[in-house]
């Protein structure tokens, strides 16, 4: 089976999300692992020592990964995954900018590094979804006809 570029991109993004979700559960790769909570801003666990994570946060990554791998099967689903997932990550970016990091509203939890990663992911996923499915029109000229 030959994959289109958008299907390949969706598959790659899905695999990365799966990997990140798994890595979030590995002590050492996730620092302060013993402080990880199911959800809430009290978790001090940091993936790669940078990104705040919790069990819920890791599960979200795993679910996004499974969705990406599954939706990479068709062009339309792959495009929807990238654009829809990108929009979700842009909403998470805005949420992270607005929410008080020390409040119970920060249940995922997110920190400033997560916020900007969500922005990059959102823009990147939406761009991939659109750019890899652009329709190009070719014009042929027929000899003798203008």
């Amino acid at each position: 089976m030959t994959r289109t570029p958008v299907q390949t991109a969706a598959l790659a993004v899905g695999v990365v999300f799966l990997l990140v979700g798994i890595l979030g559960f590995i002590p050492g790769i996730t620092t302060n692992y013993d402080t990880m909570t199911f959800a809430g801003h009290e978790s001090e666990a940091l993936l790669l020592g940078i990104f705040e994570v919790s069990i819920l946060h890791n599960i979200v990554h795993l679910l996004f990964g499974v969705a990406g791998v599954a939706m990479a099967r068709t062009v339309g689903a792959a495009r929807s995954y990238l654009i829809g997932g990108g929009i979700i990550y842009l909403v998470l970016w805005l949420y992270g900018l607005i929410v008080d990091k020390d409040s119970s509203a920060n249940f995922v939890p997110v920190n400033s590094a997560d916020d900007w990663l969500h922005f990059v992911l959102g823009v990147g996923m939406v761009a991939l979804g659109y750019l890899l499915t652009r329709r190009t029109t070719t014009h042929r000229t027929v000899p003798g006809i203008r």
Side-chain angles (χ1 to χ4, degrees):
M1 175 183 152
T2 303
R3 284 190 181 91
T4 65
V6 74
Q7 288 174 287
T8 301
L11 180 62
V13 170
V15 168
V16 169
F17 274 118
L18 282 172
L19 181 62
V20 168
I22 292 166
L23 292 176
F25 288 114
I26 299 176
I29 294 174
T30 298
T31 58
N32 305 322
Y33 186 82
D34 58 327
T35 68
M36 187 182 299
T37 59
F38 178 77
H41 66 281
E42 298 87 8
S43 180
E44 295 176 15
L46 299 171
L47 178 62
L48 304 175
I50 302 170
F51 305 103
E52 192 169 2
V53 292
S54 65
I55 294 169
L56 177 62
H57 202 146
N58 291 332
I59 290 170
V60 168
H61 290 146
L62 291 169
L63 291 174
F64 258 87
V66 169
V69 170
M71 294 177 79
R73 293 181 188 160
T74 68
V75 171
R79 181 177 195 273
S80 295
Y81 169 74
L82 291 169
I83 294 171
I87 290 169
I88 290 168
Y89 270 93
L90 289 172
V91 169
L92 281 172
W93 168 65
L94 291 173
Y95 170 79
L97 295 179
I98 294 167
V99 71
D100 177 0
K101 302 291 192 236
D102 294 322
S103 74
S104 59
N106 188 16
F107 65 94
V108 175
V110 293
N111 62 14
S112 293
D114 288 306
D115 295 339
W116 294 105
L117 179 60
H118 291 159
F119 174 76
V120 170
L121 284 170
V123 169
M125 289 174 73
V126 169
L128 285 170
Y130 278 116
L131 295 175
L132 296 177
T133 56
R134 287 188 325 180
R135 299 217 188 271
T136 57
T137 306
T138 58
H139 297 279
R140 288 203 232 177
T141 46
V142 177
I145 299 178
R146 291 188 175 201

